[in-house]
Amino acid sequence: MAVIVVGAGPAGTRAAARLVEAGLRPILLDEGSRQGGQIYRRQPENFTRPPAALYGSEAGKATALHRDFAALRPHIDYRPETLAWGARPGELLTLHGETATALRYDALILATGATDRVMPVPGWTLPGAYTLGAAQIALKAQACAIGRRPVFFGTGPLLYLVAWQYRKAGVEVAAVLDTSPFAARLRALPLLAARPGVLLAGLRYTAALLRAGVRVESGITPLAVEGEGGRVAAFRWRDRRGREQALATDAVGMGYGLRSETQLADLLKCRFAFDPVARQWLPELDAEGRSSVPGVYLAGDGALVRGADAAELAGRLAACALLRDAGHPVDPLETAHLRAGLRGMARFRRGLETAFPWPGAQAAALPDATIICRCEAVTAGDIRHAAAALDAPEVNRAKQLMRPGMGRCQGRVCGLAAAEVLAAARGVPVRAAGRLRGAAPVKPLPVATRMPEETP
Amino acid sequence: MTPEANRADVLIIGGGLMGAATAFFLRRHGLSAILIERDLVGQAATNASFGNIRRQGRFLPQLPLANRSRALWGQLGALLGEDAEFLASGHIRVAFEEAEAAKLEAYAAQARPYGLELEMIRGPAMRERFPFLSPAALMVSHSPQDGHANPRLAAPAFARAARRAGARVVERAPVLGITRDGVDFVVETRGAGSFRAPVVQVSAGAWGRAFARELGEDVPLTARSPQMGVTEPMPYRIPPVMGLASSRPGEGVYLRQVKRGNIVFGGGRRCPADLEGQRALLDPANTLRQLPFLAQLLPPMARLRVIRTWSGVEGYIGDDLPVMGASARLPGLFYAFGFCGHGFQLGPGVGASMADLIATGDAGVPLEPFSIARFAGGFPAAMAEGAHLE
């Protein structure tokens, strides 16, 4: 039986391990050069920082995942630096360097992870403006900071984690500015209590930042990243009392939680549904990770953003579902145990979305000149023009007429915000604005790409 | 009872470029028109289009229509208030072999009487004029007045202009059936009720066959999905649309650089399409098959990356010619569908000619070769199947 797992983060690694336990030899595709995914991203081979320095409180989990992968490696067909960029029935098309390969599969587990959820603000495309995820990768992989005195803004646990990691690495953090009101976090406490350990860790980061004298505010509204000489020079915001504030800074890190990378599921024609908690369209899954397409399973943040611990469970659970569907014996206790573990994670996730909500409503207030789609330089005003004068009822139509989401990233960065701007302009719920249809290639494909042989 | 607002002089079924342009030009004749579109205007074949405003290489008796359409493309700004990014930047067919060059020369001689002047350029003159060409290129056939436009903008622009001129545009209204009631046709839709008019035009692209059949006239139409793609941008250097002159299957790729820098490409193999599911089928491996020929046609492309591919549902007729003109069976019934992947350039001309035909009985250009009457005696089943995948 040919099984492909896409993504070698926590979900993909645990899925592959479970398949190996059943005697299969899956193919594990990963875009990264080293296994670990984003959260447990490894430093380059010749870097020597210890796990505790890299992963902090999560060092134990990171080390375990890396160690288990090393044991797994002889039993799988591991293909790093390989992009799954297209799909046709029963086959994935991959790219390694400039060589494409068609890989046949009987079953597929997509563990494609997530990227930062971005809400544009005037000036967010200036050099020196990063997403929180990128700021973290710079530090984790390369031991580089995005600036000497960065401002971090947005919302979500990553906001505090990244700021704390920067502070711990000796960087002077100018401010940590959260768009969610403090009251939302109090409201979310009962849900967040589903995972007391994680809740406490989060509180500790905030406390450590405050102890270090970092300016921490909540309930802010970002106004602009301001530039000088073509790069970030200041950040302006309105504080929770409505007063305008500004800070000089040479870099900003911004982000509003994560969005699932769902393009492959889309290319495979999985059915999507609107998730009102995440305010985005996600592949429809059953409790064990089965999509609407037989033989296609999803796990980890690429299916539903619940974090690394949930990803490990969901990866294993999706593999169990696959195995059972293929006629392998699977102990029902094992799946029951995994499902029980995930229930607490789901509760916690609702807590996080309550505590740190995506500020979709900000989109309505963005000035017309704000760039939404940075690849194609499409502004909020352009999208409003598509919505009103050109009568585009949903995002694909707006894309056809005014190009948001038509560039290199194919809307992966701007898609959610573009939908919010369009929905606000038409006065409809964001669900009615639809979602950008996916198309191959998932990421840019060199024209020099050749496919030497097609697998029969 | 059909409400008064749902009655008109002409109902147009299908809001692609053909239908939208017909609605627009009907208003210029003072006829009332309702354009009925299943989804949104310009979604299927129009949206799949490459955007070629190409006359060279066409079936010769189609050139009068193509010439009329080319003139209208040049007037789009004045007619619609927007130009759909039309650029008369020229169109070249590039031959890499003498046999292909000879075919281009022969075509040029035949096209001249139709008023299409093509320049055959070789050697240093060719390299000076088109410095981006591959060193292996032998000859180009240059059509200086042709060029390209943005197919995503064209049909909606016609529909908006038609609406401003008083036409009704009904979107998201799939047609369930067409029946005859006395001198009127009655068109039932899902969601928008029924419509009534003494004249109906079917311009439903690949779905045109189903409507024609329902009205007693079958045509050998197959639905196909072309393979389109676009690269990331590079500085604007390639004004003309370029096509590779090759008669070998899968090699006939073409490309155009838009002013913002991206290179749009198409050609090569097509996939079947799913008419019932109303979606194009795409094989990403077809993109891979196009790439070597694109790099042959324009070597600098090899340094770029493809950022998106797409398709749409196109209708191909067995003899590679569209169905256009009056029904051979029912008075008041007109057709304009099945443009076999080469309809975009014709769009404005089709709209103007169909409107003329409906309003005055004279299309202004010869449409006889496209009449549905050519299939009145039936056709071999094979004519409607399996073909047009290359």
Side-chain angles (χ1 to χ4, degrees), chain A residues 28-347:
Chain A
L28 179 59
L29 303 177
D30 192 42
E31 272 186 81
S33 54
R34 303 191 70 192
Q35 174 268 355
Q38 298 300 342
I39 177 104
Y40 303 134
R41 171 182 284 274
R42 301 200 210 191
Q43 57 193 340
E45 303 259 10
N46 56 339
F47 281 41
T48 56
R49 287 165 296 171
L54 279 175
Y55 308 113
S57 64
E58 308 304 289
K61 292 172 195 165
T63 313
L65 195 80
H66 295 160
R67 188 191 57 224
D68 292 353
F69 177 75
L72 190 62
R73 197 165 163 174
H75 307 289
I76 61 174
D77 179 352
Y78 169 54
R79 304 192 186 194
E81 293 174 15
T82 302
L83 168 73
W85 61 270
R88 47 186 186 183
E91 264 183 3
L92 275 190
L93 284 125
T94 67
L95 176 73
H96 175 70
E98 290 179 344
T99 303
T101 308
L103 290 177
R104 204 186 57 75
Y105 65 81
D106 300 307
L108 189 60
I109 297 178
L110 302 177
T112 43
T115 65
D116 291 275
R117 191 156 57 165
V118 174
M119 174 56 75
V121 60
W124 72 288
T125 56
L126 281 167
Y130 295 77
T131 63
L132 290 171
Q136 193 183 38
I137 288 169
L139 191 64
K140 214 187 277 181
Q142 297 292 332
C144 291
I146 58 169
R148 292 179 191 283
R149 204 170 164 271
V151 167
F152 294 104
F153 71 93
T155 196
L158 197 58
L159 176 65
Y160 298 91
L161 176 63
V162 172
W164 174 77
Q165 287 171 329
Y166 266 68
R167 186 69 199 85
K168 193 163 140 280
V171 179
E172 185 195 344
V173 174
V176 177
L177 306 171
D178 193 331
T179 54
S180 13
F182 190 71
R185 264 163 277 171
L186 292 180
R187 262 202 313 281
L189 269 177
L191 292 165
L192 294 174
R195 300 184 66 195
V198 184
L199 176 60
L200 270 178
L203 293 173
R204 268 202 297 273
Y205 299 141
T206 315
L209 287 166
L210 288 169
R211 261 201 316 280
V214 174
R215 181 168 178 180
V216 179
E217 291 187 20
S218 36
I220 71 117
T221 306
L223 294 176
V225 177
E226 295 192 328
E228 205 180 285
R231 56 162 300 126
V232 171
F235 180 67
R236 223 156 34 78
W237 74 97
R238 194 176 305 119
D239 69 19
R240 67 172 185 280
R241 296 200 183 82
R243 292 172 309 202
E244 211 171 301
Q245 306 279 354
L247 266 179
T249 179
D250 58 341
V252 297
M254 56 185 278
Y256 298 85
L258 300 177
R259 56 164 282 283
S260 303
E261 285 275 73
T262 56
Q263 305 99 296
L264 273 178
D266 197 2
L267 294 183
L268 288 158
K269 303 191 165 59
C270 295
R271 201 163 53 232
F272 279 57
F274 185 77
D275 182 319
V277 178
R279 279 172 82 79
Q280 54 191 300
W281 291 81
L282 293 171
E284 275 181 31
L285 298 178
D286 76 359
E288 300 186 348
R290 290 178 187 85
S291 76
S292 63
V293 176
V296 177
Y297 305 79
L298 278 82
D301 282 352
L304 184 65
V305 174
R306 288 178 296 195
D309 297 346
E312 290 196 46
L313 299 176
R316 200 171 166 88
L317 183 59
C320 287
L322 182 158
L323 288 165
R324 182 181 306 142
D325 295 347
H328 287 258
V330 175
D331 184 350
L333 277 178
E334 180 182 4
T335 51
H337 179 72
L338 292 167
R339 286 176 63 162
L342 281 171
R343 274 195 287 276
M345 309 279 185
R347 198 174 152 75

Side-chain angles (χ1 to χ4, degrees), chain A residues 87-88 93 269 376 390 393 397 400-401 403 406-408 410 439-441 444-448 450-451 454, chain B residues 41 43 47 152-153 156 160 172 232 260 279 283-285 288-289 291-292 301-302 304-309:
Chain A
R88 47 186 186 183
L93 284 125
K269 303 191 165 59
E376 293 286 331
L390 303 181
R397 188 59 163 194
Q400 283 165 20
L401 298 172
R403 313 186 67 85
M406 239 188 203
R408 281 189 180 90
Q410 290 295 292
L445 178 80
V447 171
R450 296 294 174 264
M451 186 152 71
E454 286 188 47
Chain B
V41 163
Q43 289 288 75
N47 202 29
R152 296 168 205 279
L153 304 181
R160 280 194 303 275
R172 292 178 163 168
E232 59 197 336
R260 61 193 309 112
R279 74 182 168 200
D283 181 357
L288 294 173
R289 294 183 187 111
L291 300 181
M301 258 185 92
L304 299 177
R305 296 178 302 169
V306 177
I307 59 173
R308 182 164 41 89
T309 63

Side-chain angles (χ1 to χ4, degrees), chain B residues 305-328:
Chain B
R305 296 178 302 169
V306 177
I307 59 173
R308 182 164 41 89
T309 63
W310 70 94
S311 190
V313 180
E314 292 182 334
Y316 287 80
I317 312 266
D319 57 5
D320 245 331
L321 296 176
V323 171
M324 252 185 101
S327 158

Side-chain angles (χ1 to χ4, degrees), chain B:
Chain B
M1 267 304 285
T2 309
E4 202 48 42
N6 288 8
R7 290 168 180 267
D9 295 324
V10 185
L11 300 178
I12 301 166
I13 298 175
L17 180 57
M18 306 308 174
T22 306
F24 173 79
F25 286 107
L26 281 171
R27 286 303 300 140
R28 295 171 74 88
H29 281 289
L31 294 180
S32 61
I34 302 176
L35 178 65
I36 305 170
E37 162 58 31
R38 178 190 61 214
D39 189 359
L40 296 175
V41 163
Q43 289 288 75
T46 308
N47 202 29
S49 164
F50 164 71
N52 219 348
I53 306 301
R54 168 188 66 84
R55 285 175 294 168
Q56 65 170 323
R58 283 182 187 276
F59 177 61
L60 293 162
Q62 199 176 60
L63 285 176
L65 175 63
N67 290 341
R68 179 180 196 184
S69 203
R70 168 58 190 83
L72 288 169
W73 277 108
Q75 301 159 20
L76 226 54
L79 287 170
L80 309 182
E82 54 190 302
D83 65 3
E85 297 175 7
F86 171 60
L87 277 182
S89 54
H91 179 279
I92 57 176
R93 283 205 139 166
V94 187
F96 288 81
E97 295 162 38
E98 278 300 350
E100 293 299 332
K103 285 185 204 164
L104 295 177
E105 284 168 339
Y107 182 84
Q110 293 170 324
R112 193 162 299 122
Y114 290 92
L116 178 61
E117 285 295 334
L118 301 172
E119 307 170 79
M120 303 298 117
I121 317 176
R122 291 174 180 252
M126 174 179 80
R127 305 215 173 274
E128 193 179 323
R129 190 105 175 246
F130 308 109
F132 42 82
L133 278 177
S134 153
L138 188 66
M139 189 192 87
V140 301
S141 170
H142 182 221
S143 181
Q145 297 305 316
D146 286 345
H148 52 114
N150 187 336
R152 296 168 205 279
L153 304 181
F158 265 109
R160 280 194 303 275
R163 192 178 263 160
R164 283 195 301 271
R168 235 187 111 190
V169 179
V170 183
E171 294 181 303
R172 292 178 163 168
V175 169
L176 301 173
I178 310 172
T179 50
R180 187 93 203 204
D181 179 21
V183 295
D184 279 351
F185 290 93
V186 178
V187 172
E188 287 292 336
T189 69
R190 186 166 65 234
S194 77
F195 296 82
R196 179 181 278 268
V199 175
V200 161
Q201 174 175 307
V202 174
S203 39
W207 292 270
R209 182 183 188 181
F211 288 117
R213 233 180 188 162
E214 193 182 331
L215 296 160
E217 291 172 294
D218 198 10
V219 293
L221 180 146
T222 323
R224 291 289 178 244
S225 312
Q227 179 71 57
M228 298 293 153
V230 64
T231 68
E232 59 197 336
M234 67 169 205
Y236 181 61
R237 296 270 189 283
I238 323 284
V241 180
M242 301 174 67
L244 199 159
S246 167
S247 32
R248 281 185 291 274
E251 292 192 7
V253 297
Y254 38 82
L255 62 89
R256 65 185 178 103
Q257 187 179 23
V258 298
K259 273 209 164 155
R260 61 193 309 112
N262 311 69
I263 296 179
V264 182
F265 59 87
R269 292 196 204 176
R270 302 182 189 103
C271 281
D274 174 7
L275 277 184
E276 275 175 34
Q278 297 172 6
R279 74 182 168 200
L281 304 172
L282 262 187
D283 181 357
N286 277 351
T287 301
L288 294 173
R289 294 183 187 111
Q290 289 170 323
L291 300 181
F293 301 111
L294 290 167
Q296 179 189 345
L297 184 57
L298 186 66
M301 258 185 92
R303 296 195 295 271
L304 299 177
R305 296 178 302 169
V306 177
I307 59 173
R308 182 164 41 89
T309 63
W310 70 94
S311 190
V313 180
E314 292 182 334
Y316 287 80
I317 312 266
D319 57 5
D320 245 331
L321 296 176
V323 171
M324 252 185 101
S327 158
R329 240 190 114 238
L330 296 176
L333 177 61
F334 294 84
Y335 297 113
F337 68 86
F339 283 84
C340 309
H342 61 244
F344 183 64
Q345 189 277 344
L346 298 177
V350 169
S353 302
M354 292 304 297
D356 286 355
L357 179 65
I358 289 168
T360 70
D362 178 4
V365 291
L367 297 183
E368 291 73 25
F370 318 119
S371 168
I372 198 164
R374 70 191 193 271
F375 302 116
F379 49 84
M383 204 175 178
E385 289 156 16
H388 306 289
L389 285 171
E390 297 288 354

